[in-house]
Amino acid sequence: MNRLAVLISGRGSNLQAIHGAIQRGQLDARIVLVVSNRPEAAGLEWAAGEGLPVLSLPSRGLGREEYDAALMAALDAVEPDLVVLAGFMRLLTGRFIERYPQQIVNIHPSLLPAFPGLHAQRQALEYGVRWSGCTVHWVTEEMDAGPILMQAVVPVDEGDTEDSLAARILVEEHRIYPEAIGMVLRGEVRLEGRRAIRVRG
Ligand code: GRF
């Protein structure tokens, strides 16, 4: 059984989508740990209520190396096949990333490489793009710059606010994240340079 460790910092709606896909039998995996760097994250309480193993590992006041060492120790104890970042608001160190080669994925609410970093939906609105979307990518040391696994496109409407655009993108996030995770777990994708190539499926 494929073992997922899910890292969150907040609401946890992508975590819920992944859990839902597992429960419906669409994703052959098990969530072996949910970690939040913010003890007050709503997603942590939700996960505990679902009976998922949870760990609150506060990052406040800790340096990046120090925090990632603690995170690695927690993850190593549950031997994840894939580390899933789902709204985890911290940059991971090179040491952490090297510990799980091609085993860390993230979702970002824009069509990367456009609008990396914080407030991607606001950046898209301010830039005036007509289309935005979301991107699932492998995690490398550079923020939001790893090889792209899957993308979905959504239109930007003239009357959109940051919230309305974020909500439209989120629907697609919840659809493609479990799908992309399944693709990786089934070994259906390999890297050629920075291009992710489908090998079967
Ligand atoms: C999502 O928009 C995701 O793309 C971004 O952070 C947000 C997390 O939302 N990385 P949630 O906590 O999964 O609801």
Side-chain angles (χ1 to χ4, degrees):
M1 180 66 82
N2 294 303
R3 300 167 67 80
L4 304 181
V6 184
L7 273 48
I8 65 169
S9 299
R11 175 179 60 181
S13 73
N14 278 288
L15 164 67
Q16 291 188 28
I18 294 160
H19 182 62
I22 293 171
Q23 292 205 309
R24 288 191 299 275
Q26 292 165 350
L27 182 59
D28 185 21
R30 189 150 75 91
I31 296 174
V32 291
L33 189 60
V34 175
V35 184
S36 175
N37 68 312
R38 295 202 182 126
E40 70 279 14
L44 202 60
E45 202 182 318
W46 175 85
E50 289 292 305
L52 294 171
V54 296
L55 174 66
S56 169
L57 197 63
S59 53
R60 187 176 285 242
L62 293 187
R64 287 178 66 209
E65 294 289 346
E66 201 182 348
Y67 187 75
D68 282 9
L71 196 55
M72 270 188 272
L75 294 187
D76 281 351
V78 296
E79 300 184 341
D81 297 302
L82 195 65
V83 178
V84 176
L85 311 188
F88 185 65
M89 303 297 285
R90 278 184 74 87
L91 255 190
L92 295 165
T93 55
R95 269 188 47 206
F96 184 95
I97 290 163
E98 278 161 26
R99 178 75 189 81
Y100 307 100
Q102 274 184 51
Q103 285 175 296
I104 313 173
V105 292
N106 182 40
I107 188 156
H108 182 75
S110 77
L111 292 175
L112 290 171
F115 316 128
L118 290 176
H119 309 300
Q121 302 93 335
R122 188 190 306 169
Q123 293 185 55
L125 283 178
E126 284 172 357
Y127 197 94
V129 292
R130 298 301 171 127
W131 300 91
S132 191
C134 48
T135 304
V136 180
H137 63 93
W138 266 306
V139 172
T140 56
E141 261 191 85
E142 196 186 336
M143 187 177 52
D144 299 329
I148 290 171
L149 284 158
M150 203 174 275
Q151 292 186 302
V153 177
V154 306
V156 180
D157 295 339
E158 271 173 21
D160 262 335
T161 61
E162 202 177 333
D163 284 349
S164 65
L165 179 58
R168 193 175 312 115
I169 293 173
L170 205 57
V171 173
E172 293 300 302
E173 292 189 35
H174 296 164
R175 183 177 67 79
I176 70 168
Y177 210 5
E179 205 179 315
I181 290 167
M183 200 171 84
V184 171
L185 292 177
R186 292 188 300 271
E188 289 174 5
V189 62
R190 78 183 152 76
L191 265 187
E192 233 171 59
R194 59 160 293 122
R195 292 192 309 146
I197 310 283
R198 287 296 283 263
V199 288
R200 57 168 197 272

